[in-house]
mmCIF file of all heavy atoms in Angstrom:
data_model
loop_
_atom_site.group_PDB
_atom_site.id
_atom_site.type_symbol
_atom_site.label_atom_id
_atom_site.label_comp_id
_atom_site.label_asym_id
_atom_site.label_seq_id
_atom_site.Cartn_x
_atom_site.Cartn_y
_atom_site.Cartn_z
ATOM 1 N N VAL A 196 4.941 4.168 2.533
ATOM 2 C CA VAL A 196 4.725 3.144 1.512
ATOM 3 C C VAL A 196 3.770 3.688 0.443
ATOM 4 O O VAL A 196 4.012 3.548 -0.756
ATOM 5 C CB VAL A 196 4.154 1.835 2.118
ATOM 6 C CG1 VAL A 196 3.841 0.823 1.017
ATOM 7 C CG2 VAL A 196 5.133 1.241 3.128
ATOM 8 N N LYS A 197 2.713 4.345 0.897
ATOM 9 C CA LYS A 197 1.745 4.936 -0.040
ATOM 10 C C LYS A 197 2.448 5.924 -0.979
ATOM 11 O O LYS A 197 2.275 5.879 -2.201
ATOM 12 C CB LYS A 197 0.643 5.638 0.757
ATOM 13 C CG LYS A 197 -0.291 6.491 -0.081
ATOM 14 C CD LYS A 197 -1.310 7.210 0.794
ATOM 15 C CE LYS A 197 -2.089 8.237 -0.010
ATOM 16 N NZ LYS A 197 -3.270 8.731 0.713
ATOM 17 N N MET A 198 3.259 6.807 -0.418
ATOM 18 C CA MET A 198 3.959 7.801 -1.232
ATOM 19 C C MET A 198 4.936 7.132 -2.196
ATOM 20 O O MET A 198 5.083 7.558 -3.339
ATOM 21 C CB MET A 198 4.669 8.831 -0.340
ATOM 22 C CG MET A 198 3.674 9.827 0.200
ATOM 23 S SD MET A 198 4.240 11.032 1.430
ATOM 24 C CE MET A 198 5.927 10.735 1.719
ATOM 25 N N ALA A 199 5.574 6.062 -1.725
ATOM 26 C CA ALA A 199 6.513 5.336 -2.580
ATOM 27 C C ALA A 199 5.784 4.701 -3.773
ATOM 28 O O ALA A 199 6.256 4.783 -4.907
ATOM 29 C CB ALA A 199 7.248 4.272 -1.769
ATOM 30 N N PHE A 200 4.630 4.089 -3.524
ATOM 31 C CA PHE A 200 3.854 3.492 -4.619
ATOM 32 C C PHE A 200 3.399 4.565 -5.610
ATOM 33 O O PHE A 200 3.444 4.363 -6.821
ATOM 34 C CB PHE A 200 2.637 2.721 -4.091
ATOM 35 C CG PHE A 200 2.925 1.278 -3.778
ATOM 36 C CD1 PHE A 200 2.769 0.788 -2.480
ATOM 37 C CD2 PHE A 200 3.326 0.396 -4.773
ATOM 38 C CE1 PHE A 200 3.027 -0.556 -2.186
ATOM 39 C CE2 PHE A 200 3.579 -0.946 -4.496
ATOM 40 C CZ PHE A 200 3.432 -1.414 -3.190
ATOM 41 N N ASP A 201 2.960 5.716 -5.080
ATOM 42 C CA ASP A 201 2.530 6.804 -5.962
ATOM 43 C C ASP A 201 3.690 7.308 -6.813
ATOM 44 O O ASP A 201 3.509 7.726 -7.953
ATOM 45 C CB ASP A 201 1.936 7.959 -5.141
ATOM 46 C CG ASP A 201 0.483 7.694 -4.725
ATOM 47 O OD1 ASP A 201 -0.137 6.792 -5.314
ATOM 48 O OD2 ASP A 201 -0.018 8.387 -3.828
ATOM 49 N N ARG A 202 4.888 7.274 -6.245
ATOM 50 C CA ARG A 202 6.062 7.825 -6.928
ATOM 51 C C ARG A 202 6.744 6.784 -7.829
ATOM 52 O O ARG A 202 7.092 7.059 -8.971
ATOM 53 C CB ARG A 202 7.047 8.333 -5.869
ATOM 54 C CG ARG A 202 8.225 9.163 -6.400
ATOM 55 C CD ARG A 202 9.172 9.533 -5.262
ATOM 56 N NE ARG A 202 9.705 8.344 -4.590
ATOM 57 C CZ ARG A 202 9.582 8.111 -3.262
ATOM 58 N NH1 ARG A 202 8.948 8.970 -2.482
ATOM 59 N NH2 ARG A 202 10.086 7.015 -2.741
ATOM 60 N N ASP A 203 6.945 5.577 -7.301
ATOM 61 C CA ASP A 203 7.790 4.587 -7.974
ATOM 62 C C ASP A 203 7.025 3.411 -8.584
ATOM 63 O O ASP A 203 7.630 2.565 -9.234
ATOM 64 C CB ASP A 203 8.835 4.028 -6.991
ATOM 65 C CG ASP A 203 9.655 5.138 -6.341
ATOM 66 O OD1 ASP A 203 9.887 6.161 -7.009
ATOM 67 O OD2 ASP A 203 10.047 4.985 -5.165
ATOM 68 N N GLY A 204 5.724 3.323 -8.314
ATOM 69 C CA GLY A 204 4.940 2.226 -8.882
ATOM 70 C C GLY A 204 5.513 0.867 -8.532
ATOM 71 O O GLY A 204 5.869 0.617 -7.378
ATOM 72 N N GLU A 205 5.649 0.006 -9.549
ATOM 73 C CA GLU A 205 6.090 -1.370 -9.258
ATOM 74 C C GLU A 205 7.564 -1.470 -8.872
ATOM 75 O O GLU A 205 8.027 -2.545 -8.503
ATOM 76 C CB GLU A 205 5.764 -2.325 -10.411
ATOM 77 C CG GLU A 205 6.337 -1.971 -11.746
ATOM 78 C CD GLU A 205 5.416 -1.071 -12.554
ATOM 79 O OE1 GLU A 205 4.464 -0.505 -11.987
ATOM 80 O OE2 GLU A 205 5.658 -0.935 -13.767
ATOM 81 N N LYS A 206 8.297 -0.346 -8.937
ATOM 82 C CA LYS A 206 9.702 -0.379 -8.491
ATOM 83 C C LYS A 206 9.812 -0.168 -6.975
ATOM 84 O O LYS A 206 10.911 -0.184 -6.415
ATOM 85 C CB LYS A 206 10.512 0.685 -9.218
ATOM 86 C CG LYS A 206 10.614 0.456 -10.723
ATOM 87 C CD LYS A 206 11.626 1.419 -11.345
ATOM 88 C CE LYS A 206 11.439 1.543 -12.843
ATOM 89 N NZ LYS A 206 10.166 2.204 -13.208
ATOM 90 N N THR A 207 8.676 0.053 -6.313
ATOM 91 C CA THR A 207 8.674 0.315 -4.872
ATOM 92 C C THR A 207 9.302 -0.843 -4.096
ATOM 93 O O THR A 207 8.987 -2.011 -4.352
ATOM 94 C CB THR A 207 7.221 0.533 -4.383
ATOM 95 O OG1 THR A 207 6.652 1.575 -5.188
ATOM 96 C CG2 THR A 207 7.172 0.955 -2.927
ATOM 97 N N ASP A 208 10.167 -0.503 -3.168
ATOM 98 C CA ASP A 208 10.812 -1.525 -2.329
ATOM 99 C C ASP A 208 10.018 -1.695 -1.038
ATOM 100 O O ASP A 208 9.983 -0.799 -0.193
ATOM 101 C CB ASP A 208 12.256 -1.089 -2.002
ATOM 102 C CG ASP A 208 12.990 -2.123 -1.145
ATOM 103 O OD1 ASP A 208 12.441 -3.233 -0.933
ATOM 104 O OD2 ASP A 208 14.101 -1.816 -0.677
ATOM 105 N N ILE A 209 9.338 -2.837 -0.905
ATOM 106 C CA ILE A 209 8.607 -3.102 0.347
ATOM 107 C C ILE A 209 9.195 -4.333 1.031
ATOM 108 O O ILE A 209 8.547 -4.988 1.846
ATOM 109 C CB ILE A 209 7.079 -3.272 0.112
ATOM 110 C CG1 ILE A 209 6.785 -4.329 -0.964
ATOM 111 C CG2 ILE A 209 6.429 -1.942 -0.238
ATOM 112 C CD1 ILE A 209 5.320 -4.725 -1.066
ATOM 113 N N SER A 210 10.461 -4.629 0.691
ATOM 114 C CA SER A 210 11.120 -5.804 1.259
ATOM 115 C C SER A 210 11.415 -5.594 2.744
ATOM 116 O O SER A 210 11.270 -4.488 3.270
ATOM 117 C CB SER A 210 12.429 -6.066 0.523
ATOM 118 O OG SER A 210 13.356 -5.039 0.858
ATOM 119 N N VAL A 211 11.875 -6.663 3.381
ATOM 120 C CA VAL A 211 12.209 -6.609 4.806
ATOM 121 C C VAL A 211 13.316 -5.568 5.078
ATOM 122 O O VAL A 211 13.366 -4.965 6.145
ATOM 123 C CB VAL A 211 12.587 -8.028 5.328
ATOM 124 C CG1 VAL A 211 13.914 -8.500 4.737
ATOM 125 C CG2 VAL A 211 12.600 -8.067 6.853
ATOM 126 N N ASN A 212 14.161 -5.325 4.096
ATOM 127 C CA ASN A 212 15.219 -4.316 4.272
ATOM 128 C C ASN A 212 14.632 -2.911 4.392
ATOM 129 O O ASN A 212 15.158 -2.067 5.111
ATOM 130 C CB ASN A 212 16.186 -4.305 3.082
ATOM 131 C CG ASN A 212 16.635 -5.705 2.705
ATOM 132 O OD1 ASN A 212 16.675 -6.593 3.559
ATOM 133 N ND2 ASN A 212 16.933 -5.922 1.435
ATOM 134 N N ALA A 213 13.541 -2.682 3.648
ATOM 135 C CA ALA A 213 12.911 -1.360 3.663
ATOM 136 C C ALA A 213 11.961 -1.210 4.847
ATOM 137 O O ALA A 213 11.947 -0.179 5.514
ATOM 138 C CB ALA A 213 12.181 -1.118 2.353
ATOM 139 N N TYR A 214 11.173 -2.229 5.095
ATOM 140 C CA TYR A 214 10.167 -2.193 6.181
ATOM 141 C C TYR A 214 10.191 -3.524 6.908
ATOM 142 O O TYR A 214 9.620 -4.502 6.437
ATOM 143 C CB TYR A 214 8.769 -1.931 5.613
ATOM 144 C CG TYR A 214 8.682 -0.640 4.832
ATOM 145 C CD1 TYR A 214 8.763 -0.646 3.439
ATOM 146 C CD2 TYR A 214 8.546 0.592 5.483
ATOM 147 C CE1 TYR A 214 8.706 0.534 2.716
ATOM 148 C CE2 TYR A 214 8.487 1.778 4.765
ATOM 149 C CZ TYR A 214 8.567 1.748 3.384
ATOM 150 O OH TYR A 214 8.519 2.915 2.677
ATOM 151 N N GLU A 215 10.833 -3.530 8.030
ATOM 152 C CA GLU A 215 11.004 -4.785 8.764
ATOM 153 C C GLU A 215 9.679 -5.297 9.327
ATOM 154 O O GLU A 215 9.424 -6.498 9.359
ATOM 155 C CB GLU A 215 12.001 -4.555 9.910
ATOM 156 C CG GLU A 215 12.624 -5.843 10.409
ATOM 157 C CD GLU A 215 13.625 -5.591 11.534
ATOM 158 O OE1 GLU A 215 14.190 -4.472 11.597
ATOM 159 O OE2 GLU A 215 13.813 -6.505 12.349
ATOM 160 N N ASP A 216 8.827 -4.359 9.759
ATOM 161 C CA ASP A 216 7.563 -4.725 10.392
ATOM 162 C C ASP A 216 6.518 -5.054 9.321
ATOM 163 O O ASP A 216 6.107 -4.178 8.563
ATOM 164 C CB ASP A 216 7.093 -3.554 11.272
ATOM 165 C CG ASP A 216 5.765 -3.833 11.957
ATOM 166 O OD1 ASP A 216 5.261 -4.976 11.870
ATOM 167 O OD2 ASP A 216 5.218 -2.903 12.590
ATOM 168 N N ILE A 217 6.058 -6.299 9.282
ATOM 169 C CA ILE A 217 5.095 -6.728 8.259
ATOM 170 C C ILE A 217 3.770 -5.971 8.395
ATOM 171 O O ILE A 217 3.027 -5.817 7.429
ATOM 172 C CB ILE A 217 4.870 -8.265 8.307
ATOM 173 C CG1 ILE A 217 4.236 -8.768 6.989
ATOM 174 C CG2 ILE A 217 4.008 -8.686 9.499
ATOM 175 C CD1 ILE A 217 5.088 -8.588 5.761
ATOM 176 N N ASN A 218 3.477 -5.464 9.611
ATOM 177 C CA ASN A 218 2.213 -4.740 9.812
ATOM 178 C C ASN A 218 2.175 -3.427 9.023
ATOM 179 O O ASN A 218 1.106 -2.858 8.804
ATOM 180 C CB ASN A 218 1.972 -4.482 11.294
ATOM 181 C CG ASN A 218 1.904 -5.785 12.083
ATOM 182 O OD1 ASN A 218 1.248 -6.740 11.666
ATOM 183 N ND2 ASN A 218 2.604 -5.856 13.197
ATOM 184 N N ILE A 219 3.332 -2.940 8.611
ATOM 185 C CA ILE A 219 3.369 -1.744 7.756
ATOM 186 C C ILE A 219 2.842 -2.107 6.371
ATOM 187 O O ILE A 219 2.102 -1.345 5.743
ATOM 188 C CB ILE A 219 4.801 -1.163 7.681
ATOM 189 C CG1 ILE A 219 5.202 -0.629 9.055
ATOM 190 C CG2 ILE A 219 4.910 -0.071 6.611
ATOM 191 C CD1 ILE A 219 6.697 -0.383 9.210
ATOM 192 N N ILE A 220 3.210 -3.303 5.908
ATOM 193 C CA ILE A 220 2.770 -3.742 4.576
ATOM 194 C C ILE A 220 1.269 -4.064 4.590
ATOM 195 O O ILE A 220 0.545 -3.694 3.661
ATOM 196 C CB ILE A 220 3.594 -4.960 4.077
ATOM 197 C CG1 ILE A 220 5.107 -4.706 4.231
ATOM 198 C CG2 ILE A 220 3.233 -5.309 2.640
ATOM 199 C CD1 ILE A 220 5.635 -3.457 3.551
ATOM 200 N N THR A 221 0.791 -4.723 5.648
ATOM 201 C CA THR A 221 -0.661 -4.993 5.727
ATOM 202 C C THR A 221 -1.406 -3.663 5.841
ATOM 203 O O THR A 221 -2.484 -3.491 5.259
ATOM 204 C CB THR A 221 -1.036 -5.893 6.929
ATOM 205 O OG1 THR A 221 -0.637 -5.259 8.149
ATOM 206 C CG2 THR A 221 -0.398 -7.267 6.830
ATOM 207 N N GLY A 222 -0.818 -2.710 6.547
ATOM 208 C CA GLY A 222 -1.438 -1.382 6.697
ATOM 209 C C GLY A 222 -1.529 -0.664 5.361
ATOM 210 O O GLY A 222 -2.538 -0.022 5.048
ATOM 211 N N ALA A 223 -0.465 -0.783 4.562
ATOM 212 C CA ALA A 223 -0.443 -0.126 3.249
ATOM 213 C C ALA A 223 -1.490 -0.742 2.316
ATOM 214 O O ALA A 223 -2.142 -0.035 1.540
ATOM 215 C CB ALA A 223 0.940 -0.243 2.630
ATOM 216 N N LEU A 224 -1.662 -2.062 2.405
ATOM 217 C CA LEU A 224 -2.672 -2.733 1.585
ATOM 218 C C LEU A 224 -4.078 -2.320 2.008
ATOM 219 O O LEU A 224 -4.922 -1.992 1.167
ATOM 220 C CB LEU A 224 -2.508 -4.257 1.680
ATOM 221 C CG LEU A 224 -3.545 -5.095 0.922
ATOM 222 C CD1 LEU A 224 -3.561 -4.776 -0.575
ATOM 223 C CD2 LEU A 224 -3.291 -6.591 1.128
ATOM 224 N N LYS A 225 -4.335 -2.305 3.320
ATOM 225 C CA LYS A 225 -5.662 -1.897 3.810
ATOM 226 C C LYS A 225 -5.965 -0.453 3.418
ATOM 227 O O LYS A 225 -7.087 -0.130 3.017
ATOM 228 C CB LYS A 225 -5.757 -2.063 5.333
ATOM 229 C CG LYS A 225 -5.849 -3.515 5.789
ATOM 230 C CD LYS A 225 -6.112 -3.631 7.289
ATOM 231 C CE LYS A 225 -4.954 -3.121 8.128
ATOM 232 N NZ LYS A 225 -5.157 -3.369 9.574
ATOM 233 N N LEU A 226 -4.944 0.411 3.523
ATOM 234 C CA LEU A 226 -5.129 1.824 3.166
ATOM 235 C C LEU A 226 -5.448 1.966 1.676
ATOM 236 O O LEU A 226 -6.327 2.734 1.291
ATOM 237 C CB LEU A 226 -3.869 2.631 3.518
ATOM 238 C CG LEU A 226 -3.930 4.131 3.205
ATOM 239 C CD1 LEU A 226 -5.015 4.824 4.025
ATOM 240 C CD2 LEU A 226 -2.570 4.794 3.475
ATOM 241 N N TYR A 227 -4.736 1.202 0.857
ATOM 242 C CA TYR A 227 -5.003 1.241 -0.581
ATOM 243 C C TYR A 227 -6.476 0.899 -0.854
ATOM 244 O O TYR A 227 -7.168 1.580 -1.606
ATOM 245 C CB TYR A 227 -4.084 0.267 -1.350
ATOM 246 C CG TYR A 227 -4.514 0.148 -2.784
ATOM 247 C CD1 TYR A 227 -4.242 1.180 -3.684
ATOM 248 C CD2 TYR A 227 -5.288 -0.925 -3.223
ATOM 249 C CE1 TYR A 227 -4.721 1.133 -4.989
ATOM 250 C CE2 TYR A 227 -5.759 -0.979 -4.520
ATOM 251 C CZ TYR A 227 -5.481 0.057 -5.398
ATOM 252 O OH TYR A 227 -5.968 0.021 -6.672
ATOM 253 N N LEU A 228 -6.953 -0.169 -0.227
ATOM 254 C CA LEU A 228 -8.327 -0.631 -0.453
ATOM 255 C C LEU A 228 -9.353 0.371 0.079
ATOM 256 O O LEU A 228 -10.384 0.607 -0.545
ATOM 257 C CB LEU A 228 -8.532 -2.010 0.181
ATOM 258 C CG LEU A 228 -7.656 -3.139 -0.395
ATOM 259 C CD1 LEU A 228 -7.718 -4.382 0.486
ATOM 260 C CD2 LEU A 228 -8.055 -3.482 -1.833
ATOM 261 N N ARG A 229 -9.034 0.982 1.229
ATOM 262 C CA ARG A 229 -9.951 1.986 1.807
ATOM 263 C C ARG A 229 -9.996 3.268 1.000
ATOM 264 O O ARG A 229 -11.007 3.958 0.982
ATOM 265 C CB ARG A 229 -9.516 2.338 3.237
ATOM 266 C CG ARG A 229 -10.001 1.372 4.300
ATOM 267 C CD ARG A 229 -9.981 2.044 5.662
ATOM 268 N NE ARG A 229 -8.662 2.562 6.005
ATOM 269 C CZ ARG A 229 -7.709 1.852 6.601
ATOM 270 N NH1 ARG A 229 -7.921 0.585 6.915
ATOM 271 N NH2 ARG A 229 -6.549 2.400 6.898
ATOM 272 N N ASP A 230 -8.877 3.598 0.342
ATOM 273 C CA ASP A 230 -8.774 4.850 -0.421
ATOM 274 C C ASP A 230 -9.432 4.794 -1.790
ATOM 275 O O ASP A 230 -9.527 5.814 -2.464
ATOM 276 C CB ASP A 230 -7.295 5.214 -0.630
ATOM 277 C CG ASP A 230 -6.754 6.093 0.494
ATOM 278 O OD1 ASP A 230 -7.519 6.403 1.421
ATOM 279 O OD2 ASP A 230 -5.569 6.458 0.431
ATOM 280 N N LEU A 231 -9.854 3.607 -2.240
ATOM 281 C CA LEU A 231 -10.450 3.508 -3.574
ATOM 282 C C LEU A 231 -11.703 4.377 -3.663
ATOM 283 O O LEU A 231 -12.544 4.339 -2.759
ATOM 284 C CB LEU A 231 -10.835 2.057 -3.886
ATOM 285 C CG LEU A 231 -9.694 1.092 -4.166
ATOM 286 C CD1 LEU A 231 -10.218 -0.342 -4.200
ATOM 287 C CD2 LEU A 231 -8.986 1.433 -5.472
ATOM 288 N N PRO A 232 -11.854 5.154 -4.733
ATOM 289 C CA PRO A 232 -13.063 5.976 -4.874
ATOM 290 C C PRO A 232 -14.326 5.122 -4.939
ATOM 291 O O PRO A 232 -15.363 5.494 -4.400
ATOM 292 C CB PRO A 232 -12.858 6.741 -6.183
ATOM 293 C CG PRO A 232 -11.530 6.372 -6.711
ATOM 294 C CD PRO A 232 -10.890 5.345 -5.833
ATOM 295 N N VAL A 233 -14.231 3.981 -5.604
ATOM 296 C CA VAL A 233 -15.322 2.994 -5.585
ATOM 297 C C VAL A 233 -14.750 1.766 -4.900
ATOM 298 O O VAL A 233 -13.739 1.218 -5.336
ATOM 299 C CB VAL A 233 -15.799 2.636 -7.008
ATOM 300 C CG1 VAL A 233 -16.873 1.553 -6.949
ATOM 301 C CG2 VAL A 233 -16.322 3.877 -7.726
ATOM 302 N N PRO A 234 -15.354 1.322 -3.786
ATOM 303 C CA PRO A 234 -14.793 0.183 -3.038
ATOM 304 C C PRO A 234 -14.713 -1.078 -3.898
ATOM 305 O O PRO A 234 -15.371 -1.160 -4.936
ATOM 306 C CB PRO A 234 -15.796 -0.014 -1.889
ATOM 307 C CG PRO A 234 -16.641 1.201 -1.844
ATOM 308 C CD PRO A 234 -16.615 1.814 -3.201
ATOM 309 N N VAL A 235 -13.920 -2.049 -3.434
ATOM 310 C CA VAL A 235 -13.787 -3.310 -4.176
ATOM 311 C C VAL A 235 -15.171 -3.927 -4.395
ATOM 312 O O VAL A 235 -15.516 -4.351 -5.494
ATOM 313 C CB VAL A 235 -12.847 -4.301 -3.453
ATOM 314 C CG1 VAL A 235 -12.813 -5.641 -4.188
ATOM 315 C CG2 VAL A 235 -11.434 -3.720 -3.359
ATOM 316 N N ILE A 236 -15.982 -3.978 -3.332
ATOM 317 C CA ILE A 236 -17.385 -4.361 -3.504
ATOM 318 C C ILE A 236 -18.116 -3.072 -3.833
ATOM 319 O O ILE A 236 -18.341 -2.231 -2.970
ATOM 320 C CB ILE A 236 -17.929 -5.078 -2.255
ATOM 321 C CG1 ILE A 236 -17.262 -6.471 -2.184
ATOM 322 C CG2 ILE A 236 -19.450 -5.199 -2.303
ATOM 323 C CD1 ILE A 236 -17.649 -7.313 -1.006
ATOM 324 N N SER A 237 -18.406 -2.889 -5.117
ATOM 325 C CA SER A 237 -18.848 -1.592 -5.634
ATOM 326 C C SER A 237 -20.206 -1.186 -5.054
ATOM 327 O O SER A 237 -20.973 -2.018 -4.578
ATOM 328 C CB SER A 237 -18.933 -1.647 -7.156
ATOM 329 O OG SER A 237 -19.929 -2.580 -7.534
ATOM 330 N N TYR A 238 -20.469 0.117 -5.106
ATOM 331 C CA TYR A 238 -21.737 0.634 -4.579
ATOM 332 C C TYR A 238 -22.934 -0.023 -5.262
ATOM 333 O O TYR A 238 -23.932 -0.333 -4.619
ATOM 334 C CB TYR A 238 -21.811 2.154 -4.761
ATOM 335 C CG TYR A 238 -20.794 2.916 -3.941
ATOM 336 C CD1 TYR A 238 -19.876 3.768 -4.549
ATOM 337 C CD2 TYR A 238 -20.761 2.770 -2.548
ATOM 338 C CE1 TYR A 238 -18.942 4.471 -3.785
ATOM 339 C CE2 TYR A 238 -19.832 3.465 -1.786
ATOM 340 C CZ TYR A 238 -18.925 4.313 -2.404
ATOM 341 O OH TYR A 238 -18.014 4.993 -1.646
#
């Protein structure tokens, strides 16, 4: 999912057809937030 977002941006398919397990989508969101150089709650 991460690679797809990096490659396709808002055209990324994260629908049930692409990823049936919703925990993959929650995982991708958590990873996005953890990967930020400055966290959402900034230093």
Side-chain angles (χ1 to χ4, degrees):
V196 176
K197 170 183 170 167
M198 282 173 0
F200 271 119
D201 280 344
R202 190 183 59 236
D203 305 327
E205 58 271 14
K206 296 190 198 67
T207 305
D208 181 8
I209 53 170
S210 70
V211 69
N212 313 332
Y214 302 98
E215 201 179 334
D216 179 7
I217 198 64
N218 300 315
I219 293 164
I220 311 304
T221 60
L224 177 59
K225 287 187 294 186
L226 180 63
Y227 171 75
L228 298 168
R229 277 201 304 273
D230 270 0
L231 288 170
V233 177
V235 176
I236 289 179
S237 64
Y238 294 122

